[in-house]
Amino acid sequence: MAKRTHEAGADVMVRALLASGVKVCFANPGTTEMPLVASFDRVPGMRAVLGLHENVVTAAADGYARMTNAPACTLLHLGVGLANGLANLHNAKRALTPVVNIVGEMPTWHRPADALLAMDIEKVASAVSSLVVTCNHVQRITHDVGTAVKHARTKRVDGGSVVTMVVPHDTQRLDGAFDAQVIQQLLPAAPSAETMEAVELEFKQEEAQCGASSRADVDEAGAAFLRATKKLLFLGSAVCRDDASLQRAGRIAAATGCHLMCENAFARVDRGAGRPALRRMPYFPDDARKELAQYSVVVFVGCRVPVAMFGYDDNKRESQLVDFKKQSVFQLNDTQTFVGMLEYFEVKVGAASAACQATPPKTPSMPTGTLNAAKLCSAIAALQPEGSIIVDESLTSGGMYWDISAGCPPFSHLTLTGGAIGIGPPLSVGVAVACPDRQVINFQADGSAMYTMQALWTQQRENLNIITVICSNGTYNILKIEQMKQKLPQVGSAAASLTNLGQPAIDWVQLAGGCGVKASRATSVEEFSTMMTAALNSSGPYLIEAMLH
């Protein structure tokens, strides 16, 4: 018979999370979450990481899961705390990242009083969550946790894998009982407290299945693919972060002559020498349409058919980036079967025995002189060590990095997925917690870094191996580009003020120092190279403010 331990509901919740493979909690708690905070001391095994803003907490959980394929949890204070973290939960939703939010709530008996901090948490959570669970009964906590984690670990092209649990204060304090058998039934491959490998194994076992309806879709797509001369295999983030699937895509490219492409806003792509060469879909809609229009057959695997980020022309009203009338478009997007569908597709197009199309090694040469955006891209690519993880929120400054870094030693590349800026520094926190033995480099735009600069404090507190490179150009450059694209009238004083970050100038060296992070400022490539080399040879976080001209 399964062991049942009677203890406070908060303790039961922590035990259930651990039994479900959740070992890290990124937290910004308040009064209603204090029983859970106390449980982290009573129940060993959960690593608790404090963030000084909820958007730091939620992005950190996203970064952790992108690297492990296993969910971390967040601990947030009531609806207001959840609301503060929504922007980066939106990014996690678009990244198809498994995240389990734990949100404290007023005691059930106090909710009718409509206290000042009362809010409809379930409604707020529904904006970003594919499942919302309210834990009103202490006897069901183990089941609620198991259900939430199982749901989060299910990849969904539509709706994402963010789950929110609302936990009233009295539920945390009442006497309950942890039932390990419930977790075993809900999550038969749930990992032990000692290992995460079982989580990744379960993902691959679940996805290796390809049902009859999926096979029919693949049969049709494969036949069209073989007939076409110009064809594209478009890989979603759920596929791009699986090494076996990337190798499979490389074999398909070698056997069929197709091109490979990933989303512009991808969650994670493992890139570099020896790995398949992927094109990155252009950001602006006209460029993306032109790029995609050259293919008569496009097969999308593990992602939605992309649409324009914004609508520009009210007369044309163009949202789609592919032409469904002129192109044959196939979507292989059954939930849970991305990997299996691609494996079956490989067989259908006769690529299973082909050699993988691999990117040749080519480390970019180091430029010289005054820093600008292009030189900074080259310098980072030239210096980044093998196995690096590049957290890229460089935005306009990093436009050339994708092509420049193509032949670098193997590395992982993460980007902003949902368009809600302010993800880079806290995403780096989660990545570094997940991969403490790898070098994390946050290639970061200056304006968006200000949204979540509190992450620097967490980086220092946890002694995380993160180098932050600030692209200091003192402007919201993307807004200036958008202004030109929309053909708005000549810039006046208001528009100039709302796109200028230079009055007063942001001093990133002082800001980092205030959080305890070592920092320096570079105005030339030579200075940057010296500082970057020193940072790579030291431990703990470091920030370099790169002054771009």
Side-chain angles (χ1 to χ4, degrees):
M1 182 175 292
K3 182 180 179 181
R4 296 174 62 88
T5 304
H6 290 271
E7 55 198 338
D11 291 8
V12 175
M13 174 162 279
V14 175
R15 291 192 191 280
L17 287 165
L18 290 169
S20 301
V22 179
K23 300 201 301 182
V24 179
C25 179
F26 298 97
N28 187 283
T31 301
T32 48
E33 296 75 45
M34 292 314 293
L36 278 163
V37 171
S39 293
F40 292 153
D41 285 323
R42 288 195 298 267
V43 181
M46 182 69 71
R47 179 176 178 180
V49 179
L50 178 63
L52 298 185
H53 190 279
E54 291 85 353
N55 243 354
V56 172
V57 169
T58 53
D62 182 3
Y64 179 90
R66 291 196 202 186
M67 297 310 300
T68 63
N69 282 332
C73 65
T74 70
L75 183 60
L76 305 171
H77 182 43
L78 296 168
V80 291
L82 174 62
N84 276 344
L86 280 183
N88 278 326
L89 287 174
H90 168 77
N91 289 326
K93 172 184 176 180
R94 292 302 191 189
L96 308 183
T97 302
V99 175
V100 177
N101 300 307
I102 300 171
V103 184
E105 171 62 298
M106 298 292 182
T108 52
W109 54 265
H110 189 47
R111 293 183 71 173
D114 192 26
L116 291 179
L117 279 169
M119 184 183 291
D120 190 336
I121 300 175
E122 289 83 358
K123 184 174 291 186
V124 175
S126 67
V128 294
S129 305
S130 58
L131 176 68
V132 180
V133 178
T134 301
C135 304
N136 284 324
H137 305 288
V138 70
Q139 296 85 358
R140 287 186 56 82
I141 285 181
T142 303
H143 183 274
D144 289 345
V145 169
T147 300
V149 174
K150 181 178 181 178
H151 193 89
R153 284 162 53 180
T154 302
K155 292 185 178 71
R156 292 171 175 79
V157 169
D158 295 311
S161 298
V162 176
V163 174
T164 299
M165 302 185 68
V166 183
V167 191
H169 188 256
D170 51 343
T171 302
Q172 299 172 47
R173 293 167 62 90
L174 291 171
D175 184 54
F178 169 63
D179 189 344
Q181 188 174 7
V182 170
I183 298 297
Q184 292 166 3
Q185 290 172 347
L186 287 168
L187 299 164
S192 68
E194 291 76 30
T195 179
M196 274 297 179
E197 281 79 3
V199 173
E200 297 186 21
L201 177 62
E202 183 183 349
F203 268 120
K204 292 177 181 178
Q205 288 173 340
E206 288 173 346
E207 292 182 329
Q209 307 303 315
C210 185
S213 61
S214 300
R215 288 197 297 271
D217 293 338
V218 176
D219 288 341
E220 183 181 2
F225 210 71
L226 290 173
R227 289 193 301 267
T229 303
K230 295 287 288 183
K231 48 209 170 192
L232 177 68
L233 185 61
F234 195 107
L235 306 176
S237 292
V239 176
C240 285
R241 56 192 180 204
D242 179 74
D243 186 65
S245 294
L246 280 178
Q247 295 298 314
R248 188 164 287 121
R251 291 193 292 270
I252 293 170
T256 67
C258 75
H259 288 159
L260 305 177
M261 186 178 289
C262 67
E263 299 160 295
N264 179 272
F266 55 85
R268 171 184 158 194
V269 176
D270 289 336
R271 306 178 51 216
R275 288 172 171 161
L278 273 68
R279 302 182 176 203
R280 184 180 183 183
M281 191 183 78
Y283 172 78
F284 288 110
D286 288 344
D287 297 332
R289 289 190 188 98
K290 183 178 180 181
E291 179 73 17
L292 293 169
Q294 63 183 299
Y295 303 104
S296 60
V297 174
V298 184
V299 176
F300 293 92
V301 183
C303 61
R304 304 185 309 158
V305 175
V307 297
M309 178 74 84
F310 299 103
Y312 291 96
D313 192 327
D314 292 332
N315 294 315
K316 292 183 178 180
R317 298 188 177 187
E318 294 177 318
S319 297
Q320 298 297 329
L321 299 178
V322 295
D323 190 331
F324 286 90
K325 295 180 180 179
K326 296 181 179 179
Q327 297 171 282
S328 297
V329 179
F330 299 90
Q331 302 176 62
L332 307 184
N333 288 335
D334 272 11
T335 59
Q336 292 292 298
T337 60
F338 301 142
V339 173
M341 294 181 84
L342 187 61
E343 182 176 4
Y344 185 59
F345 185 78
E346 177 189 30
V347 174
K348 292 299 297 183
V349 299
S353 61
C356 179
Q357 181 191 78
T359 304
K362 183 183 179 182
T363 301
S365 58
M366 181 66 72
T368 60
T370 303
L371 271 174
N372 59 30
K375 290 180 180 179
L376 183 60
C377 290
S378 293
I380 291 175
L383 292 168
Q384 66 186 56
E386 182 173 353
S388 294
I389 305 171
I390 309 299
V391 176
D392 184 358
E393 196 182 18
S394 56
L395 304 179
T396 56
S397 295
M400 299 179 68
Y401 175 78
W402 175 269
D403 291 332
I404 289 172
S405 62
C408 286
F411 68 102
S412 297
H413 192 174
L414 285 66
T415 69
L416 169 67
T417 49
I421 63 174
I423 195 173
L427 194 73
S428 300
V429 168
V431 166
V433 170
C435 304
D437 297 327
R438 297 177 65 180
Q439 179 64 62
V440 180
I441 300 173
N442 177 201
F443 190 12
Q444 182 62 46
D446 53 356
S448 55
M450 287 293 290
Y451 285 45
T452 49
M453 60 157 289
Q454 303 95 325
L456 294 173
W457 182 89
T458 302
Q459 292 178 16
Q460 178 61 33
R461 185 182 224 224
E462 299 292 322
N463 194 34
L464 300 176
N465 192 27
I466 300 169
I467 300 172
T468 301
V469 179
I470 297 290
C471 306
S472 187
N473 59 14
T475 183
Y476 274 132
N477 198 43
I478 185 63
L479 295 183
K480 294 180 178 179
I481 295 172
E482 293 287 2
Q483 192 167 34
M484 289 187 293
K485 286 186 67 65
Q486 296 181 48
K487 300 177 182 179
L488 295 173
Q490 186 174 356
V491 175
S493 58
S497 175
L498 293 175
T499 57
N500 188 329
L501 302 178
Q503 297 173 334
I506 301 168
D507 190 327
W508 279 100
V509 174
Q510 288 194 21
L511 287 175
C515 293
V517 174
K518 296 176 183 178
S520 55
R521 181 177 293 111
T523 60
S524 68
V525 174
E526 291 78 9
E527 290 176 348
F528 177 79
S529 177
T530 299
M531 295 169 188
M532 188 74 166
T533 301
L536 288 168
N537 290 316
S538 61
S539 61
Y542 195 96
L543 182 143
I544 303 172
E545 183 176 11
M547 308 301 293
L548 303 183
H549 300 279

